[in-house]
């Protein structure tokens, strides 16, 4: 498993770790078969990948739940990608895919049979994995950044949103109207007799 420098960003270190895991599994497909349906709980994997990744996520201000859920998503991606086909022989994998698709009835599978080349090329394209990995990392980064918005900013935003709604509503329109009237006007006096026409605190001075 690849090591990263202490000052590497969370995104950079995460991409390095899960790229290394993917390459390890692609290069040694027997590891997946050997594991079977048992979870990988060996001390080497736990120390060099799981513990390290979780610690880095917590240091990036993720909550424990965010850290483990993000790890599981990142971990399942290379596991599934590596076990899907034999990446050590991509030409053979593409040929098998094209052969299987060519045997399909075009009336039943019009999308697949008309795009044999495109589907076959993507079958063993490693960029499919790398692109998906970057998307997962970017999504986790955005979610974590949103969760870490300072409370004061969130509260200010909520207050401004409430104020905007009030200023656009009918209650505010009535309030502004009465505020323009002279204190001695009959309309203003009438409003003073029925303060419940507006919510508490909105009675014009």
């Amino acid at each position: 498993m690849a090591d990263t420098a202490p000052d590497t960003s969370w995104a950079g270190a995460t991409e390095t770790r899960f790229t290394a895991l993917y390459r390890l599994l692609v290069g040694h497909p027997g590891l997946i078969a050997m594991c079977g349906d048992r979870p990988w709980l060996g001390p080497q994997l736990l120390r060099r990948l799981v513990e390290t990744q979780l610690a880095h996520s917590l240091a990036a201000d993720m909550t424990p739940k965010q850290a483990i859920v993000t790890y599981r998503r990142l971990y399942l991606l290379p596991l599934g990608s590596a076990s899907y086909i034999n990446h050590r022989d991509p030409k053979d994998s593409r040929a098998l895919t094209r052969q299987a698709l060519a045997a399909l009835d075009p009336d039943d599978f019009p999308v697949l049979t008309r795009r044999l080349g495109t589907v076959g090329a993507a079958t063993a394209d490693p960029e499919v994995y790398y692109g998906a990995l970057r998307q997962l990392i970017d999504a986790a980064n955005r979610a974590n950044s949103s969760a870490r918005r300072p409370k004061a900013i969130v509260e200010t935003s909520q207050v401004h949103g409430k104020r905007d709604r009030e200023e656009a509503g009918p209650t505010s329109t009535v309030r502004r109207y009465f505020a323009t009237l002279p204190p001695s006007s009959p309309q203003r006096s009438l409003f003073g007799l029925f303060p419940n026409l507006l919510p508490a605190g909105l009675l014009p001075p």
Side-chain angles (χ1 to χ4, degrees):
M1 207 64 61
D3 295 321
T4 59
D7 59 346
T8 305
S9 68
W10 178 86
T14 298
E15 184 170 355
T16 297
R17 292 186 192 109
F18 286 92
T19 294
L21 177 61
Y22 171 73
R23 291 174 178 172
L24 173 67
L25 297 176
V26 166
H28 302 85
L31 290 173
I32 298 176
M34 184 173 61
C35 179
D37 59 356
R38 300 185 305 275
W40 281 1
L41 299 174
Q44 288 296 330
L45 181 70
L46 290 177
R47 180 184 305 109
R48 301 196 63 183
L49 179 64
V50 186
E51 176 73 14
T52 303
Q53 182 64 34
L54 291 179
H56 206 162
S57 294
L58 293 175
D61 291 334
M62 288 189 185
T63 65
K65 182 177 180 180
Q66 284 177 316
I68 190 61
V69 168
T70 299
Y71 168 79
R72 289 292 297 165
R73 289 170 178 164
L74 291 164
Y75 168 74
L76 292 174
L77 179 64
L79 194 65
S81 297
S83 61
Y84 176 57
I85 60 169
N86 180 8
H87 291 270
R88 293 184 298 177
D89 189 359
K91 290 183 179 180
D92 181 61
S93 297
R94 294 189 187 100
L96 289 173
T97 300
R98 284 194 295 268
Q99 181 181 352
L101 296 182
L104 298 176
D105 186 338
D107 292 333
D108 294 331
F109 301 92
V111 176
L112 288 171
T113 55
R114 292 173 187 169
R115 295 166 176 81
L116 295 180
T118 301
V119 176
T123 299
D125 183 2
E127 184 53 35
V128 172
Y129 170 78
Y130 297 129
L133 176 60
R134 287 189 289 270
Q135 287 178 335
L136 276 178
I137 292 172
D138 290 344
N141 245 343
R142 287 195 300 270
N144 189 38
S145 296
S146 297
R148 289 190 290 114
R149 289 180 64 192
K151 184 178 180 182
I153 294 179
V154 174
E155 291 178 346
T156 300
S157 175
Q158 292 171 345
V159 169
H160 286 174
K162 180 180 179 182
R163 184 182 302 157
D164 291 342
R165 291 191 296 273
E166 288 176 351
E167 290 176 354
T171 296
S172 181
T173 301
V174 175
R175 179 181 60 186
R176 287 197 298 270
Y177 166 72
F178 277 101
T180 63
L181 299 176
S184 59
S185 68
Q187 295 93 334
R188 192 177 180 105
S189 300
L190 178 64
F191 182 79
L193 295 174
F194 299 96
N196 289 333
L197 286 173
L198 286 179
L202 296 185
L203 184 64

